[in-house]
């Protein structure tokens, strides 16, 4: 008796989330992270809610989310550091000129 089932399809949004999560660390730092996070959440919702034809790809969606959120956190820390050190440098320059 053959009990093999048909192969499950992979959620397209999970693949998109993973690809943009990788792109966020290589070529699209901020935009790629935003797309990865949005698509990752949408993919996980679709994977959980699909009953008629179960979808694979939860691992890819989670990986895209982690890469996207990590890039956003790094971008935020970089922006804070630039603002802080820029204001300190500006303060030293104004003090030196007066």
């Amino acid at each position: 008796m053959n009990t093999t089932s048909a192969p499950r399809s992979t959620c397209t949004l999970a693949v998109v989330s993973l690809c943009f999560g990788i792109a966020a660390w290589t070529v699209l730092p901020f935009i790629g992270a935003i797309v990865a996070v949005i698509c990752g959440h949408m993919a996980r919702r679709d994977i959980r809610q699909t009953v008629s034809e179960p979808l694979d790809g939860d691992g890819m969606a989670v990986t895209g989310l982690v890469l996207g959120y990590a890039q956003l956190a790094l971008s935020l820390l970089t922006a804070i550091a630039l603002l802080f050190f820029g204001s300190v440098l500006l303060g030293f320059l104004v003090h030196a000129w007066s």
Side-chain angles (χ1 to χ4, degrees):
M1 181 174 188
N2 190 359
T3 59
T4 60
S5 61
R8 292 168 52 165
S9 60
T10 303
C11 180
T12 305
L13 285 171
V15 176
V16 170
S17 175
L18 178 62
C19 290
F20 274 94
I22 293 169
W25 286 94
T26 55
V27 293
L28 296 171
F30 188 72
I31 301 298
I34 298 289
V35 173
V37 168
I38 291 171
C39 288
H41 282 294
M42 291 172 58
R44 294 204 71 210
R45 183 196 64 220
D46 288 350
I47 291 168
R48 281 193 309 264
Q49 289 180 350
T50 304
V51 177
S52 60
E53 180 184 330
L55 294 172
D56 282 337
D58 191 54
M60 287 187 282
V62 170
T63 304
L65 282 169
V66 169
L67 290 171
Y69 276 126
Q71 179 62 27
L72 287 175
L74 182 67
S75 297
L76 179 65
L77 289 174
T78 302
I80 290 170
L82 286 174
L83 287 172
F84 174 75
F85 290 118
S87 64
V88 168
L89 180 62
L90 183 63
F92 283 136
L93 290 174
V94 167
H95 180 58
W97 286 345
S98 52

